[in-house]
Amino acid sequence: MKTTLNCGGKLLDLSTPRVMGIINTTPDSFYEPSRSQNIDQALRQAEQMLIDGAAILDIGGMSTRPGATLIDPETEQERILPLIKSLVKHFSEVIISVDTVYATTAQAAVDAGAGIINDVSAGKFDAQLLPTIAQLRVPYVLMHLQGTPDTMQQNPHYRHGVVPTVVQFLADKLAFLRQLGIHDVVIDPGFGFGKTTEHNYQLLKSLSVLQILGLPIMVGVSRKGMIWRTLGIDAKQALNGTTVVHTIALLNGATLLRVHDVKEAVEAIKLVELYKNSI
């Protein structure tokens, strides 16, 4: 399995699982504490995440929560580019991922210092995105999404089962990416993106199947509805449940955890790694 990524000249070692911390510059992301409305707040949040052990900071300028509508790339760039530049200035060694579906945003973000593009759409929303990724030569997070954010949770269903569908989708898309010359890829099954709670837990239980693709596996379950709805709480109360699901994901092959709470995710990785390596 591929264990290193060249992130704009910075090497990311994934021989053991790592953590990606979420920083949103949006007014409407589903988990309010992840939103940063000014540079100073975002820098403080970033500093704490790095202290707590984050290997990557994932910057988002557009919410893709269920029911969200896509904003224009110009607004997205106005939100994220000043932050990326400030992060590079204050934390020169940081690896920055940008959560976008737009080619122009990907280009501008990498020009500003980002080293990974994290795309929930698998290139479906902007025909120029994947060719742009190929030119930029930065790692690409390929995620499965059924539908669009504004419709994806309206009765999602899978005729041939969610696990075979997701695996086949990722395999087919990987073949296309390789034709374009995109080889540094992280795969993400897309928890909560066009899936029922049952679908999400079927994917979690079968996560190890994705290892046949030979690529790092990213899991984004942090404080999502598959946790808090199941427990009858809300997202703010879902940290303990998130840690439980992270533990299961790590035992089933997750390489990268995309999280709101870095410290707890790093602790989960340490304990799971000790368990897995014990004789």
Side-chain angles (χ1 to χ4, degrees), residues 134-180:
Q135 293 175 358
L136 292 171
R137 304 186 70 81
V138 293
Y140 174 69
V141 180
L142 168 65
M143 195 192 83
H144 175 270
L145 163 70
Q146 184 184 82
T148 59
D150 61 334
T151 63
M152 63 189 181
Q153 291 307 105
Q154 296 174 11
N155 191 34
H157 62 281
Y158 293 87
R159 181 179 177 185
H160 299 294
V162 65
V163 174
T165 300
V166 169
V167 172
Q168 190 63 58
F169 172 86
L170 294 172
D172 291 345
K173 205 72 179 184
L174 281 169
F176 179 67
L177 293 178
R178 285 166 179 149
Q179 288 177 1
L180 291 176

Side-chain angles (χ1 to χ4, degrees), residues 79-90:
R79 292 175 176 177
I80 68 169
L81 292 179
L83 175 56
I84 294 171
K85 292 172 183 177
S86 292
L87 288 170
V88 170
K89 179 181 178 181
H90 287 86

Side-chain angles (χ1 to χ4, degrees), residues 9-266:
K10 298 168 184 174
L11 196 65
L12 177 64
D13 180 5
L14 294 174
S15 57
T16 58
R18 307 298 293 272
V19 171
M20 174 188 283
I22 301 167
I23 300 178
N24 290 314
T25 60
T26 56
D28 56 346
S29 295
F30 83 91
Y31 181 53
E32 185 176 349
S34 73
R35 307 173 195 164
S36 292
Q37 296 301 304
N38 60 69
I39 295 293
D40 289 341
Q41 180 185 357
L43 287 175
R44 288 193 298 272
Q45 189 178 6
E47 182 179 34
Q48 189 60 54
M49 286 182 168
L50 293 172
I51 290 170
D52 288 341
I56 307 167
L57 299 178
D58 190 47
I59 311 304
M62 174 171 61
S63 176
T64 51
R65 75 191 191 286
T69 55
L70 300 182
I71 64 171
D72 61 86
E74 291 77 19
T75 299
E76 181 182 47
Q77 290 164 40
E78 288 172 4
R79 292 175 176 177
I80 68 169
L81 292 179
L83 175 56
I84 294 171
K85 292 172 183 177
S86 292
L87 288 170
V88 170
K89 179 181 178 181
H90 287 86
F91 311 105
S92 59
E93 296 305 309
V94 69
I95 295 176
I96 299 171
S97 166
V98 169
D99 189 351
T100 187
V101 301
Y102 294 123
T104 56
T105 299
Q107 179 72 63
V110 171
D111 289 345
I116 301 173
I117 299 300
N118 179 18
D119 169 29
V120 302
S121 77
K124 292 187 291 186
F125 300 163
D126 182 346
Q128 294 306 308
L129 178 61
L130 296 181
T132 298
I133 300 296
Q135 293 175 358
L136 292 171
R137 304 186 70 81
V138 293
Y140 174 69
V141 180
L142 168 65
M143 195 192 83
H144 175 270
L145 163 70
Q146 184 184 82
T148 59
D150 61 334
T151 63
M152 63 189 181
Q153 291 307 105
Q154 296 174 11
N155 191 34
H157 62 281
Y158 293 87
R159 181 179 177 185
H160 299 294
V162 65
V163 174
T165 300
V166 169
V167 172
Q168 190 63 58
F169 172 86
L170 294 172
D172 291 345
K173 205 72 179 184
L174 281 169
F176 179 67
L177 293 178
R178 285 166 179 149
Q179 288 177 1
L180 291 176
I182 301 171
H183 299 287
D184 269 2
V185 181
V186 176
I187 53 175
D188 180 347
F191 290 97
F193 284 84
K195 283 99 175 169
T196 64
T197 295
E198 183 178 0
H199 291 147
N200 288 321
Y201 283 97
Q202 288 171 356
L203 279 171
L204 181 65
K205 188 172 185 178
S206 300
L207 192 66
S208 60
V209 173
L210 294 179
Q211 292 177 318
I212 65 173
L213 299 174
L215 295 171
I217 301 169
M218 188 168 86
V219 165
V221 296
S222 182
R223 296 183 182 267
K224 285 188 174 178
M226 64 179 283
I227 296 166
W228 60 262
R229 286 195 186 93
T230 302
L231 298 176
I233 54 177
D234 61 27
K236 291 182 180 180
Q237 299 170 304
L239 176 55
N240 183 58
T242 295
T243 301
V244 172
V245 175
H246 280 161
T247 302
I248 298 168
L250 291 165
L251 290 171
N252 288 344
T255 316
L256 193 56
L257 301 179
R258 182 179 182 271
V259 310
H260 300 96
D261 309 280
V262 171
K263 180 176 180 289
E264 291 80 1
V266 169

